[in-house]
Amino acid sequence: MESSAKEKLSQFFQHYKKVSYKKGETILRADERNIKHIIYIEKGSVRQYHIAPNGEETTMHEFYEGSFFPIMLVLANEQNTYYFEASEPTTGYIAPVADVLTLLKNDPTVLYDLTVRLAYGICGLLEKIKSFSYEHAYQKVISILLFLTKHHAADGRTLDTTHGEIASWIGAQRETVSRQIEKLQKKGIIQSKNHRIVIKSTLKLQEELLFLKQ
């Protein structure tokens, strides 16, 4: 995000109610169809996911600091059918939809920044669909571990992520994910420590993925 847009968004949302959420706390439910407020993330991250009729969760997107959601549903005039959950302790501000839309209509800098963000999001989604359409579960697990390490590992190697959460990201069964994790452990690329996944070598994880794609 450009600094000017980030500053404008931060200043704008600070005029509204500040909110905080615990890790795993639901912020918006799928049965809350009519969106009345937009939430700006000051610190933390939020997971957007869908629950299929069979009860399986699929993570659709992750929002990070400086993002505001679910603006895409508002702009598309779509009712909400997703859950939004704090991936970690998260703070932010909540503003009425009408006020946020007025900001977008009147400030080209903020609108352009949002357009760029949405474009990145669409490209990421397309890449996910493309890769997951032909990748084996083992490759999918490696891909998502690399993604989560980049965005969620404070020390660059330790993930406070369960096998079930990984399964949600890649649209697989938990048992399937556990088998792939076990393969990586046997190869000495990752290890489990205090119920956390520790990436012993990001480079080796990347090399494993490249080898599989050859």
Side-chain angles (χ1 to χ4, degrees):
M1 177 185 291
E2 292 185 4
S3 59
S4 58
K6 183 176 181 180
E7 290 172 2
K8 287 182 178 181
L9 280 172
S10 179
Q11 292 173 3
F12 169 81
F13 278 99
Q14 283 178 14
H15 289 91
Y16 298 91
K17 179 182 177 181
K18 187 165 187 176
V19 290
S20 60
Y21 305 97
K22 299 177 182 178
K23 178 181 178 179
E25 183 175 351
T26 299
I27 299 171
L28 185 63
R29 297 178 55 84
D31 54 10
E32 297 177 62
R33 298 299 178 91
N34 296 317
I35 302 167
K36 298 180 181 179
H37 297 90
I38 299 296
I39 300 171
Y40 172 80
I41 302 175
E42 179 184 52
K43 185 177 182 180
S45 59
V46 173
R47 178 173 75 104
Q48 176 185 354
Y49 66 96
H50 171 69
I51 299 180
N54 63 2
E56 290 186 9
E57 286 186 13
T58 300
T59 298
M60 308 303 296
H61 190 64
E62 188 91 6
F63 296 91
Y64 300 101
E65 295 178 14
S67 300
F68 51 105
F69 68 93
I71 189 64
M72 66 285 187
L73 296 177
V74 171
L75 293 175
N77 196 29
E78 292 285 341
Q79 289 190 323
N80 178 48
T81 57
Y82 301 97
Y83 289 86
F84 294 81
E85 172 187 284
S87 301
E88 57 187 316
T90 299
T91 59
Y93 298 89
I94 182 169
V97 166
D99 292 3
V100 177
L101 290 178
T102 297
L103 171 68
L104 295 176
K105 291 175 182 177
N106 295 332
D107 195 315
T109 303
V110 174
L111 179 58
Y112 176 76
D113 183 79
L114 174 63
T115 303
V116 172
R117 279 176 168 268
L118 292 176
Y120 273 118
I122 292 172
C123 288
L125 179 60
L126 291 175
E127 187 64 27
K128 180 179 178 181
I129 294 172
K130 182 180 71 174
S131 61
F132 283 9
S133 65
Y134 62 80
E135 283 186 351
H136 184 271
Y138 184 58
Q139 290 178 255
K140 294 179 182 180
V141 169
I142 295 174
S143 295
I144 201 62
L145 285 176
L146 287 169
F147 172 83
L148 293 174
T149 301
K150 179 180 179 181
H151 293 284
H152 287 282
D155 60 357
R157 59 196 302 263
T158 306
L159 293 172
D160 187 15
T161 306
T162 66
H163 293 189
E165 289 170 339
I166 293 174
S168 172
W169 269 103
I170 67 174
Q173 296 290 330
R174 182 190 178 283
E175 294 76 12
T176 300
V177 169
S178 295
R179 287 196 294 271
Q180 314 317 313
I181 292 292
E182 187 176 342
K183 289 180 185 178
L184 289 167
Q185 288 176 325
K186 288 180 178 179
K187 291 187 177 184
I189 299 175
I190 68 173
Q191 70 180 63
S192 293
K193 186 176 182 181
N194 298 325
H195 303 292
R196 295 180 177 180
I197 297 174
V198 179
I199 311 299
K200 297 179 68 175
S201 173
T202 302
L203 178 59
K204 287 185 178 180
L205 195 60
Q206 292 170 336
E207 290 175 345
E208 183 77 0
L209 185 59
L210 289 173
F211 174 77
L212 292 168
K213 290 184 175 181
Q214 290 179 353

